[in-house]
Amino acid sequence: MAEGRFLSLFDYKTEKYIVAKNKRVGLLYRLIQLSILGYIIGWVFIRKKGYQETDEAIQSSIITKLKGVSVTNTSESGLLVWGPEDYVIPPQGEAVLFIVTNFLETPHQRLGHCAESIKVLDGHCRDEEDCEEGKMVVAGHGEMSGRCLRQDVNSTGTCEIFGWCPIERKFKPEGPLLKNAENFTIYIKNFIHFPKFSFSKSNVLETTNDSYLKKCRYDKEVSPYCPIFRLGDITQQAGYKFQDMATFGGSIGIMIRWDCDLDKGYDNCNPQYSFTRLDISHSNKTITTGFNFRHTRYFKNAAGESFRSLFKVYGVQFNIMVHGKAGKFSIIPTAINVGSGLALMGAGAFLCDMVLLYLMKKGDSYRERKFEVSGGQKTTPETNGVEDRSASAEQEKLTT
Amino acid sequence: MAEGRFLSLFDYKTEKYIVAKNKRVGLLYRLIQLSILGYIIGWVFIRKKGYQETDEAIQSSIITKLKGVSVTNTSESGLLVWGPEDYVIPPQGEAVLFIVTNFLETPHQRLGHCAESIKVLDGHCRDEEDCEEGKMVVAGHGEMSGRCLRQDVNSTGTCEIFGWCPIERKFKPEGPLLKNAENFTIYIKNFIHFPKFSFSKSNVLETTNDSYLKKCRYDKEVSPYCPIFRLGDITQQAGYKFQDMATFGGSIGIMIRWDCDLDKGYDNCNPQYSFTRLDISHSNKTITTGFNFRHTRYFKNAAGESFRSLFKVYGVQFNIMVHGKAGKFSIIPTAINVGSGLALMGAGAFLCDMVLLYLMKKGDSYRERKFEVSGGQKTTPETNGVEDRSASAEQEKLTT
Amino acid sequence: MAEGRFLSLFDYKTEKYIVAKNKRVGLLYRLIQLSILGYIIGWVFIRKKGYQETDEAIQSSIITKLKGVSVTNTSESGLLVWGPEDYVIPPQGEAVLFIVTNFLETPHQRLGHCAESIKVLDGHCRDEEDCEEGKMVVAGHGEMSGRCLRQDVNSTGTCEIFGWCPIERKFKPEGPLLKNAENFTIYIKNFIHFPKFSFSKSNVLETTNDSYLKKCRYDKEVSPYCPIFRLGDITQQAGYKFQDMATFGGSIGIMIRWDCDLDKGYDNCNPQYSFTRLDISHSNKTITTGFNFRHTRYFKNAAGESFRSLFKVYGVQFNIMVHGKAGKFSIIPTAINVGSGLALMGAGAFLCDMVLLYLMKKGDSYRERKFEVSGGQKTTPETNGVEDRSASAEQEKLTT
């Protein structure tokens, strides 16, 4: 008997099927099978490359470099020449960088006493009592000294503060001062690495020709491996005019997408660039566009006293984001996708069963054939695997 | 015959089932079915929104702006007024920013010879031989000149070095110097974009009222679209006192979570803020809390000689991280989830089979019915557990 | 009859199987079952820990600190001592940081007129007409004044520009000036947090011994919780010599991987460090290696006139990336993995059916048994497209 057991282990058991010669359900089932097959082959395998193992943990290194100069002439700052070392903040060529396009310098600020800016609402005063000594207003520029500076007794003035004087003047930009910024070029060097497949690539042409990068300009068709872009072209592709953005500033996202099918080889893994404006929302009724901040340069005079230049700079922030995924054939995801597709076919069969048994006219007769109740020992229901009334009930049903 | 073949293509084949009138297994199977159904409907579809296609590749742009001033008075630096242009490092309003709350200035450092700091263990000396000329100690401040500077012949001294002199003095902060920093406010402008669904939103109220942002303060209920926070409130919500963090510094994570159900429309996609301290570990027995670094300001005197101010600054680093996902109904994930749920039901049926066949008393009789060996030769059960007679059995059946 | 219905709800229905006594297919099926079982248990559960719920949204905070000094002596800058406050850019200890290893200072630049650099191709001129007044060349250093500066009438010269003069001289680095940079140490403080499991950890030993971090150095075996690395060791582990990288600069990725099995407890969650060079591509024929940028320091003389020092710095960019995932037992992924495994077994059964029915010699006879058409009335196939004769067919079969 042990032998029998052992042998039966290698007997192949296959489900028994009832053939229902019902063409409508048959057709329905074939349609479901076909559409699932089409979905698996067409969508999962061909479109989504479900036979591939993917690596989305892309490692990326970005180095940026700007080129271009601009000359400005303002009453506060005089003639100034702006090079990349000045207008790129921070200068070290990171993936998030800010390009100054407009600015207001407040030169020669010293620590001392002067009137608070009238833009600071809590700094307005009618008499000395409005200016509590030692008080600091959150949006203010210094510590109140307790005096109220007014033209005459009846007018509204502003509190005197101790701070960096003179206070920055009001400034409504009327256009970018670095008019030339549109023509600056940005060189975006991007190295990527997919650790799972040990695959590395750069977005710069592999050439030994030193002058290649001095003359080329990015073009999707002609020079996809020359990642040098004109700022004006970037904003244009994002859908905005550079001169509009340059006045009050803004934020542009530069997306680099690496979609690599490593089954097709090294040359089929190419970067794709896209540009979007990041600081404009759904509706345009917003007070939040623009980008500016202040920075300072500190100096000391011969006596060792500090003074500083305060710069309020407006400009465009570029935010370079690298996404990517690489795929390579692997047996495991293939198996999983085939398996889940077949499971879906099971769902289709279940649906067809429901239709056959409950919606078709002759559903009852199919049900009887599909569900075998008592195996056949109708005469001795008590003895068989099954109990109670089921067997006789069956008989009743059968004899009807 | 070809016609027969063709017809049979549209015959629907459905599995034949044995009905086992065993209420216990039946109940078990229904329970399993119910719980899988409950799991699919309740968890997968209602909780996890399994019918939605999701986009987790959120694109985000952060701009930050601080407001507030503080006055400090120290023996080294004298009276100083700190505005955002000074205490925010870097000043350009990035997503990772550092707020100075405490500092030590070492003004007027010049290149020259002076004694190494006694904090540098490798700089201690008993005689000239301990100070090798030209040697550079890793944690030191300059190049050893070869001399050992001691009070008298018997004491321990430190080596003379060539470096920026005087060396920074020892400094044990006793409290934050920028006492006011708690009341500074941070304005966090965040624009997000879900590329898959072309959906953009900002965390700032869409209004044309210019003064809205001048007066409002974030409140979850009243003004969820006014992203202006008091620094003291942020640390408090993270579970720490600002004054404690301000003395030695620390690191705070500001998480902005966008969990958007785009089936429900634009207004149901709202930012949620949460705050955690990032530099405190599981246990508190650690030497690693705090955050400080040094930076310099360089000057030149009338003779063109360089000197500098060295600032050791302590403060709070804010790390703004944006997470998010958007979901929208799609047929594909729905099909996958239904399919895998049905596959789980198959697993349930398999489990019930095992129970029925191997754990139930009458399992053997079920087994006989379930596994039809040779089409009905019930009279010879002993022979049919086995093998190659199947072919003849087959024949018999066919001849009936 | 309602009772009968109700009862049948708890009748367990199990598929009827045909036992095919074909050892080859049986063996094939067992092999498939075994390999799927092995795959599920071995790969999915043991290797991939498929019974765990995972959290990959690691929150991480990085603080870096450099130690080390170097002395340089150049004709332009004279003797200089470089400390971390000078050679780390930006100085605030971020996760992306740049270490200066080589530099060229152009001191005392003033705004004025001088000859354009001969490296700027568009600045070459043969006569005044080549130098259009007011023109700005993209890669140039200022605005053309309209004059062409030549040695003599026949030679090629460069246009005169208005810009920061003198222009930076040509510089071919012959070796790093900060020779000592190899011995600098970097301390990488990393705090992580898995929000789903409320789990936090740091990569620094939890000790109250203040001097631990002053003396230790990272070692995988001895001191895995002392994250202090020598720069030379990092580049060596990435496969490059520090001195080679230091001359022209480069980019190194420091990956910290936290692979935490939280079922095994706090002590089994350890950081793993790996180092790769990020700016070297697949092939080495590239013009793109190296990393340099320019930054400035502004000064004012007693008369209030600005002058500046321009630094072109070469160095190594370190890019610290934290990846990680934590897993903990959960019932849901377990159920999903078991379910999909069983679905794969269904696929195996389908395959064996195909083999049995279409490749085996006796396939036809199996097919007849597997697909019960009308229960045995082989004599009247035309009538059996349908139905209810099945009951009598059943009877016939039973009576054989």
Side-chain angles (χ1 to χ4, degrees):
Chain A
M1 229 40 208
E3 195 204 11
R5 274 274 166 111
F6 181 74
L7 279 173
S8 76
L9 190 68
F10 294 107
D11 288 343
Y12 178 61
K13 286 154 200 136
T14 179
E15 286 137 352
K16 181 156 189 166
Y17 280 81
I18 298 288
V19 177
K21 294 215 162 279
N22 184 314
K23 287 206 190 74
R24 273 181 291 177
V25 178
L27 199 65
L28 175 69
Y29 185 60
R30 289 296 166 195
L31 276 179
I32 290 176
Q33 274 190 321
L34 262 183
S35 56
I36 290 174
L37 215 70
Y39 160 73
I40 293 174
I41 293 175
W43 182 260
V44 176
F45 280 92
I46 296 179
R47 263 314 287 284
K48 293 287 180 184
K49 300 198 176 119
Y51 54 89
Q52 289 188 333
E53 189 181 19
T54 58
D55 184 358
E56 303 204 24
I58 188 172
Q59 286 168 11
S60 151
S61 148
I62 291 276
I63 300 172
T64 54
K65 203 158 206 173
L66 269 285
K67 281 254 161 79
V69 278
S70 196
V71 177
T72 62
N73 194 354
T74 60
S75 54
E76 286 96 349
S77 315
L79 259 181
L80 269 181
V81 175
W82 293 74
E85 61 277 11
D86 301 309
Y87 63 68
V88 181
I89 299 172
Q92 63 263 29
E94 294 194 346
V96 178
L97 74 166
F98 176 88
I99 315 286
V100 178
T101 54
N102 207 357
F103 75 101
L104 169 69
E105 185 182 352
T106 309
H108 229 78
Q109 285 190 325
R110 283 163 192 280
L111 277 176
H113 290 88
C114 55
E116 177 61 282
S117 161
I118 58 160
K119 284 196 295 178
V120 179
L121 302 177
D122 291 332
H124 294 187
C125 61
R126 295 201 69 85
D127 53 36
E128 317 288 80
E129 281 171 20
D130 292 340
C131 304
E132 195 186 324
E133 196 185 331
K135 189 183 164 193
M136 247 152 322
V137 173
V138 164
H141 296 91
E143 190 182 42
M144 290 185 185
S145 67
R147 290 177 58 200
C148 180
L149 303 176
R150 288 166 296 176
Q151 300 268 203
D152 58 81
V153 176
N154 295 318
S155 67
T156 304
T158 54
C159 296
E160 191 193 63
I161 55 160
F162 176 75
W164 292 94
C165 293
I167 301 292
E168 185 185 88
R169 73 169 168 89
K170 229 172 161 173
F171 178 55
K172 274 267 167 230
E174 274 160 17
L177 289 167
L178 279 82
K179 294 198 183 64
N180 208 28
E182 195 171 5
N183 295 321
F184 295 169
T185 59
I186 183 167
Y187 166 43
I188 303 169
K189 191 153 72 170
N190 178 213
F191 286 88
I192 55 143
H193 181 65
F194 288 107
K196 202 187 264 174
F197 306 120
S198 298
F199 179 88
S200 299
K201 201 165 183 184
S202 152
N203 70 339
V204 185
L205 189 71
E206 284 163 9
T207 171
T208 47
N209 178 1
D210 259 19
S211 64
Y212 176 69
L213 287 176
K214 289 207 173 173
K215 288 175 294 183
C216 75
R217 195 73 90 250
Y218 179 77
D219 185 300
K220 208 177 170 179
E221 304 302 326
V222 183
S223 51
Y225 279 88
C226 169
I228 297 178
F229 303 86
R230 206 177 138 264
L231 297 196
D233 293 345
I234 289 179
T235 51
Q236 198 194 327
Q237 285 197 44
Y240 292 87
K241 277 190 192 151
F242 189 85
Q243 296 299 328
D244 294 351
M245 285 190 75
T247 310
F248 290 97
S251 183
I252 293 271
I254 301 178
M255 262 69 69
I256 308 181
R257 168 135 225 106
W258 293 85
D259 226 333
C260 296
D261 184 345
L262 301 186
D263 292 331
K264 289 192 186 152
Y266 186 77
D267 290 331
N268 271 284
C269 176
N270 297 320
Q272 284 170 306
Y273 302 87
S274 62
F275 310 95
T276 47
R277 183 156 185 187
L278 294 176
D279 66 337
I280 285 284
S281 188
H282 174 76
S283 84
N284 278 324
K285 52 168 165 66
T286 172
I287 49 172
T288 57
T289 49
F291 197 152
N292 64 72
F293 64 88
R294 287 176 184 84
H295 72 98
T296 53
R297 282 185 194 144
Y298 279 85
F299 306 103
K300 281 195 175 169
N301 65 13
E305 286 167 351
S306 287
F307 61 99
R308 71 177 195 182
S309 285
L310 177 66
F311 290 84
K312 180 174 187 179
V313 292
Y314 295 80
V316 184
Q317 187 201 44
F318 290 94
N319 214 322
I320 301 166
M321 311 176 212
V322 180
H323 299 282
K325 95 177 171 232
K328 211 173 193 173
F329 174 77
S330 168
I331 192 72
I332 291 168
T334 311
I336 287 171
N337 277 309
V338 169
S340 75
L342 289 167
L344 271 179
M345 287 208 191
F350 181 73
L351 181 77
C352 291
D353 273 10
M354 291 298 110
V355 170
L356 185 72
L357 300 184
Y358 297 106
L359 296 184
M360 289 287 142
K361 231 173 21 192
K362 291 170 190 157
D364 281 340
S365 73
Y366 287 121
R367 208 169 330 162
E368 254 166 59
R369 284 175 59 208
K370 184 175 168 74
F371 298 111
E372 180 185 322
V373 181
S374 64
Q377 292 147 307
K378 332 211 123 259
T379 44
T380 54
E382 300 77 13
T383 66
N384 73 7
V386 229
E387 59 303 62
D388 67 28
R389 241 140 316 169
S390 59
S392 53
E394 186 77 18
Q395 250 181 336
E396 271 180 58
K397 209 165 122 202
L398 294 173
T399 52
T400 52
Chain B
M1 225 45 206
E3 195 204 11
R5 273 271 167 113
F6 182 75
L7 277 173
S8 76
L9 190 70
F10 294 107
D11 289 343
Y12 178 62
K13 288 156 199 134
T14 180
E15 286 137 352
K16 180 155 189 167
Y17 279 80
I18 298 287
V19 177
K21 296 217 161 276
N22 184 314
K23 287 207 193 72
R24 273 181 292 178
V25 179
L27 197 66
L28 176 68
Y29 185 59
R30 289 296 166 193
L31 277 179
I32 291 177
Q33 275 190 321
L34 263 183
S35 56
I36 291 174
L37 216 69
Y39 159 73
I40 294 174
I41 293 175
W43 181 261
V44 176
F45 280 92
I46 296 180
R47 262 314 286 285
K48 292 290 182 184
K49 301 203 176 113
Y51 55 87
Q52 290 188 331
E53 188 181 20
T54 57
D55 184 357
E56 304 204 20
I58 188 172
Q59 287 168 10
S60 150
S61 148
I62 290 276
I63 300 172
T64 53
K65 202 159 207 171
L66 269 285
K67 282 253 160 80
V69 279
S70 195
V71 176
T72 62
N73 194 353
T74 61
S75 55
E76 285 97 350
S77 316
L79 258 181
L80 268 182
V81 175
W82 294 74
E85 60 277 11
D86 301 309
Y87 63 69
V88 181
I89 297 173
Q92 64 262 31
E94 293 194 347
V96 178
L97 73 167
F98 176 88
I99 315 285
V100 177
T101 53
N102 208 357
F103 74 101
L104 169 69
E105 185 182 352
T106 310
H108 228 80
Q109 285 190 325
R110 283 163 191 281
L111 278 176
H113 289 88
C114 54
E116 177 61 282
S117 161
I118 57 161
K119 285 195 293 179
V120 179
L121 302 177
D122 290 332
H124 294 188
C125 61
R126 294 201 68 87
D127 53 35
E128 318 287 82
E129 281 171 21
D130 293 340
C131 304
E132 193 186 325
E133 197 185 331
K135 188 183 165 194
M136 247 153 321
V137 174
V138 163
H141 296 90
E143 192 183 41
M144 289 185 186
S145 66
R147 293 176 58 201
C148 180
L149 303 176
R150 287 166 295 176
Q151 299 268 206
D152 58 80
V153 176
N154 296 319
S155 68
T156 304
T158 55
C159 297
E160 191 194 62
I161 56 161
F162 176 74
W164 292 94
C165 294
I167 301 290
E168 185 185 86
R169 72 170 168 89
K170 229 174 161 173
F171 178 54
K172 274 268 167 227
E174 274 160 18
L177 289 167
L178 278 80
K179 295 196 182 66
N180 209 27
E182 193 172 5
N183 294 322
F184 294 168
T185 58
I186 183 167
Y187 165 43
I188 303 169
K189 192 152 70 170
N190 178 214
F191 286 87
I192 56 143
H193 181 65
F194 288 107
K196 203 186 265 174
F197 306 120
S198 298
F199 180 89
S200 300
K201 202 166 180 183
S202 152
N203 70 340
V204 184
L205 190 71
E206 284 163 7
T207 172
T208 48
N209 178 359
D210 259 20
S211 63
Y212 176 69
L213 287 176
K214 288 209 172 171
K215 288 175 294 183
C216 74
R217 196 71 89 250
Y218 179 77
D219 185 300
K220 208 178 172 179
E221 304 301 326
V222 183
S223 50
Y225 278 87
C226 168
I228 297 179
F229 302 86
R230 207 177 137 263
L231 297 195
D233 293 345
I234 289 178
T235 51
Q236 198 193 328
Q237 285 196 45
Y240 293 87
K241 276 190 193 154
F242 188 85
Q243 297 299 329
D244 294 351
M245 285 189 74
T247 310
F248 290 98
S251 182
I252 293 272
I254 301 179
M255 262 68 70
I256 307 181
R257 169 136 223 103
W258 293 84
D259 226 334
C260 296
D261 184 346
L262 300 186
D263 291 331
K264 289 191 186 154
Y266 187 76
D267 291 331
N268 271 283
C269 177
N270 297 319
Q272 284 170 306
Y273 302 88
S274 61
F275 310 95
T276 47
R277 184 157 183 184
L278 294 174
D279 65 337
I280 285 284
S281 188
H282 175 76
S283 84
N284 279 323
K285 52 169 165 65
T286 173
I287 48 173
T288 57
T289 49
F291 197 151
N292 65 72
F293 63 88
R294 288 176 185 84
H295 72 99
T296 53
R297 282 184 195 147
Y298 278 85
F299 306 102
K300 280 195 176 171
N301 66 12
E305 286 167 352
S306 287
F307 61 100
R308 70 177 196 181
S309 286
L310 177 67
F311 290 85
K312 179 174 188 180
V313 291
Y314 295 79
V316 184
Q317 187 202 43
F318 290 94
N319 213 322
I320 301 166
M321 311 177 209
V322 179
H323 299 283
K325 98 175 168 231
K328 212 173 193 173
F329 173 77
S330 169
I331 192 72
I332 291 167
T334 310
I336 287 171
N337 277 308
V338 168
S340 76
L342 289 168
L344 271 179
M345 287 209 192
F350 180 74
L351 181 77
C352 290
D353 274 11
M354 291 297 110
V355 170
L356 185 73
L357 299 184
Y358 296 106
L359 296 184
M360 289 288 142
K361 230 175 19 193
K362 292 171 190 156
D364 281 342
S365 74
Y366 287 119
R367 210 169 328 162
E368 250 167 62
R369 285 176 57 210
K370 183 174 169 76
F371 299 111
E372 180 186 317
V373 180
S374 64
Q377 293 147 307
K378 323 211 129 264
T379 43
T380 55
E382 299 78 13
T383 65
N384 75 5
V386 243
E387 74 300 342
D388 66 6
R389 228 154 314 174
S390 59
S392 55
E394 188 75 22
Q395 253 180 332
E396 270 182 57
K397 194 172 134 214
L398 294 172
T399 52
T400 52
Chain C
M1 228 44 207
E3 195 203 12
R5 276 269 166 114
F6 182 74
L7 279 173
S8 75
L9 189 70
F10 293 108
D11 289 344
Y12 178 62
K13 287 155 201 134
T14 179
E15 285 137 351
K16 181 155 188 167
Y17 279 80
I18 299 288
V19 177
K21 296 212 160 280
N22 184 314
K23 287 206 192 75
R24 274 181 291 176
V25 179
L27 198 65
L28 175 68
Y29 185 60
R30 290 297 166 193
L31 278 179
I32 291 177
Q33 274 190 321
L34 262 184
S35 56
I36 291 174
L37 216 69
Y39 159 73
I40 292 175
I41 293 175
W43 181 261
V44 177
F45 281 91
I46 296 178
R47 264 313 288 283
K48 293 288 182 184
K49 300 199 177 117
Y51 54 88
Q52 289 187 332
E53 188 182 19
T54 56
D55 184 359
E56 303 204 23
I58 189 173
Q59 286 168 11
S60 150
S61 148
I62 291 276
I63 299 171
T64 53
K65 204 158 205 170
L66 270 286
K67 283 253 160 78
V69 279
S70 196
V71 176
T72 63
N73 195 353
T74 60
S75 54
E76 286 97 350
S77 317
L79 257 181
L80 268 181
V81 175
W82 293 74
E85 61 278 10
D86 301 308
Y87 63 69
V88 181
I89 298 174
Q92 63 262 30
E94 293 193 347
V96 178
L97 72 167
F98 177 87
I99 314 285
V100 177
T101 53
N102 208 356
F103 74 101
L104 168 69
E105 185 182 352
T106 310
H108 228 78
Q109 285 191 325
R110 283 163 192 279
L111 278 176
H113 290 90
C114 54
E116 178 61 281
S117 162
I118 58 160
K119 285 195 294 178
V120 179
L121 302 178
D122 291 331
H124 294 187
C125 62
R126 294 201 68 86
D127 53 37
E128 317 287 83
E129 281 171 20
D130 293 339
C131 304
E132 193 186 327
E133 196 185 331
K135 188 183 164 194
M136 250 156 316
V137 173
V138 163
H141 296 90
E143 191 182 41
M144 290 185 185
S145 67
R147 291 177 58 199
C148 180
L149 303 176
R150 288 167 295 178
Q151 300 268 207
D152 58 80
V153 176
N154 296 317
S155 67
T156 304
T158 55
C159 297
E160 190 194 63
I161 55 159
F162 175 74
W164 292 95
C165 294
I167 300 292
E168 185 185 88
R169 72 170 169 88
K170 231 174 161 173
F171 178 54
K172 274 269 168 225
E174 274 160 16
L177 289 167
L178 279 80
K179 296 199 182 63
N180 209 27
E182 194 171 5
N183 295 320
F184 295 169
T185 59
I186 182 167
Y187 165 44
I188 303 169
K189 192 152 71 170
N190 179 212
F191 285 89
I192 56 142
H193 180 65
F194 288 107
K196 202 187 265 174
F197 306 120
S198 297
F199 180 88
S200 298
K201 202 166 180 182
S202 152
N203 69 339
V204 185
L205 191 71
E206 285 164 8
T207 172
T208 47
N209 178 1
D210 260 19
S211 63
Y212 176 69
L213 288 176
K214 288 208 173 174
K215 288 174 293 183
C216 74
R217 195 72 88 250
Y218 179 78
D219 186 298
K220 207 177 172 180
E221 303 302 326
V222 183
S223 51
Y225 278 88
C226 169
I228 297 178
F229 303 86
R230 205 175 139 267
L231 297 196
D233 293 345
I234 289 179
T235 51
Q236 198 193 326
Q237 285 197 45
Y240 292 86
K241 276 190 194 154
F242 189 85
Q243 296 300 327
D244 294 350
M245 285 189 75
T247 311
F248 290 98
S251 183
I252 293 270
I254 301 179
M255 262 68 70
I256 308 181
R257 169 138 223 103
W258 293 85
D259 227 333
C260 295
D261 184 345
L262 300 187
D263 291 331
K264 288 191 187 154
Y266 187 77
D267 290 332
N268 271 284
C269 177
N270 297 320
Q272 283 170 307
Y273 302 88
S274 61
F275 310 96
T276 48
R277 183 157 184 186
L278 294 175
D279 66 336
I280 286 283
S281 186
H282 174 75
S283 84
N284 278 323
K285 53 167 163 67
T286 173
I287 48 171
T288 59
T289 48
F291 197 152
N292 65 71
F293 64 88
R294 288 175 183 86
H295 71 99
T296 53
R297 282 184 195 147
Y298 279 85
F299 305 102
K300 280 194 177 171
N301 66 12
E305 285 167 351
S306 287
F307 61 98
R308 70 178 197 182
S309 287
L310 176 67
F311 290 85
K312 180 174 187 179
V313 291
Y314 295 79
V316 184
Q317 186 201 43
F318 290 94
N319 213 321
I320 302 165
M321 310 178 211
V322 180
H323 298 282
K325 89 171 175 241
K328 212 173 194 172
F329 174 77
S330 168
I331 193 71
I332 292 168
T334 311
I336 287 171
N337 277 308
V338 169
S340 75
L342 289 167
L344 271 179
M345 288 209 188
F350 180 75
L351 182 77
C352 290
D353 273 11
M354 291 297 110
V355 170
L356 185 71
L357 300 184
Y358 298 105
L359 297 184
M360 288 289 141
K361 231 177 14 195
K362 292 173 190 156
D364 282 341
S365 74
Y366 287 120
R367 207 169 332 163
E368 253 165 60
R369 282 176 60 208
K370 183 176 168 73
F371 299 111
E372 181 185 318
V373 179
S374 60
Q377 293 147 305
K378 328 211 123 263
T379 44
T380 55
E382 300 80 9
T383 66
N384 75 7
V386 243
E387 81 293 359
D388 64 10
R389 231 152 312 175
S390 59
S392 55
E394 187 77 23
Q395 255 179 333
E396 270 180 58
K397 198 170 132 206
L398 294 173
T399 51
T400 52

